[in-house]
Amino acid sequence: MEPRRIIWKVYHTISLLHTGRLFRHIHWRGDMDIAPIFGVIITTPSHPPPTLVFWRTPPVGSYKINTDGCVNDGFASGRGIIRDSSGQCIRAFFSFYGDCTILEAELRAILDGIILAQRLGLSVLWVESDSTLAIHCITKGGGPWHIQATIRHIRHLLALDRDTITHIYREGNQVADLLASEGWDRRCYHEYSSQDLPRRHRSLVQIDRFGLPTVRGL
């Protein structure tokens, strides 16, 4: 129990922990000024700067479907909105899916949006979702067995040489995201026309129409 030996063991142990990435920058909070004594260089992690996210109108003669899925307390719901080339709402919907995964909810919301658009006689579709995994499963394949039937149904309805499916950040998918609580609370399928869309949703539709951005990364 010699002082020098204790100091050396503490120094050695801290150095090992840091080298093994078990002693991280957050553990030095309040003591960063003594870190160099132990040979530890503290660097402040960099964060990407905030970016502006825009919702884009589809080309003239086509229609955009924005969808979203969510799971809350073990139950899933989906929602979406269909808009024309001027950004006007054609129809919005929400649906309750019960017990399923978030990926399945995202895919089923996409499928519900496409089925609704085709029932309304709309063609040349641009589907947007904030789920990169769902888009990858549709365009590239893969995923667990229990979603394959849904993926096949989506591919059957979409003409990928004519229709488009892309990713959008959640900040640009606000209208679909806002419909989430409706499906989960009511636990049913429901559609809104442009006239009976709730006031807050109409406000977000107008924000998108005017090309106003939302900020990502704050």
Side-chain angles (χ1 to χ4, degrees):
M1 296 295 292
E2 296 178 359
R4 285 186 181 180
R5 188 166 181 80
I6 294 172
I7 293 171
W8 182 85
K9 281 194 172 184
V10 170
Y11 177 90
H12 184 63
T13 302
I14 290 176
S15 297
L16 285 177
L17 289 171
H18 178 70
T19 303
R21 296 186 178 180
L22 298 176
F23 211 4
R24 300 183 181 177
H25 139 282
I26 192 171
H27 299 131
W28 291 94
R29 185 176 296 168
D31 296 303
M32 290 188 181
D33 54 331
I34 66 169
I37 297 173
F38 298 94
V40 176
I41 306 301
I42 302 295
T43 56
T44 304
S46 59
H47 299 283
T51 56
L52 298 180
V53 178
F54 295 86
W55 182 85
R56 305 290 184 185
T57 56
V60 175
S62 63
Y63 301 87
K64 180 179 273 194
I65 307 170
N66 283 88
T67 65
D68 193 19
C70 75
V71 175
N72 192 353
D73 289 340
F75 293 102
S77 65
R79 59 276 188 177
I81 182 170
I82 304 173
R83 286 174 277 191
D84 62 17
S85 57
S86 67
Q88 293 280 12
C89 171
I90 303 295
R91 197 69 58 90
F93 71 91
F94 61 78
S95 186
F96 181 71
Y97 302 134
D99 182 15
C100 70
T101 65
I102 180 62
L103 176 57
E104 190 174 359
E106 295 280 7
L107 289 167
R108 290 177 67 175
I110 291 171
L111 178 59
D112 283 347
I114 296 169
I115 290 173
L116 175 58
Q118 295 194 345
R119 178 160 58 81
L120 295 172
L122 309 178
S123 59
V124 189
L125 305 176
W126 179 358
V127 179
E128 270 190 338
S129 168
D130 55 21
S131 172
T132 54
L133 182 55
I135 293 171
H136 184 275
C137 289
I138 295 168
T139 58
K140 305 294 184 182
W145 65 268
H146 65 272
I147 65 170
Q148 295 307 312
T150 306
I151 291 173
R152 285 194 297 270
H153 198 174
I154 292 171
R155 287 178 173 173
H156 176 72
L157 295 178
L158 277 182
L160 293 178
D161 57 339
R162 178 198 66 197
D163 301 322
T164 306
I165 181 164
T166 58
H167 173 263
I168 186 171
Y169 288 120
R170 185 181 178 186
E171 291 80 0
N173 207 27
Q174 291 186 94
V175 183
D177 186 63
L178 186 58
L179 287 162
S181 59
E182 300 278 351
W184 193 84
D185 290 341
R186 298 196 194 181
R187 305 198 174 196
C188 64
Y189 178 84
H190 182 76
E191 293 178 13
Y192 289 113
S193 68
S194 57
Q195 287 75 31
D196 57 10
L197 194 65
R199 183 176 180 179
R200 187 179 174 193
H201 298 69
R202 291 201 305 269
S203 298
L204 291 176
V205 169
Q206 288 297 94
I207 287 172
D208 286 344
R209 284 190 67 211
F210 294 149
L212 301 176
T214 52
V215 182
R216 173 179 172 81
L218 282 181

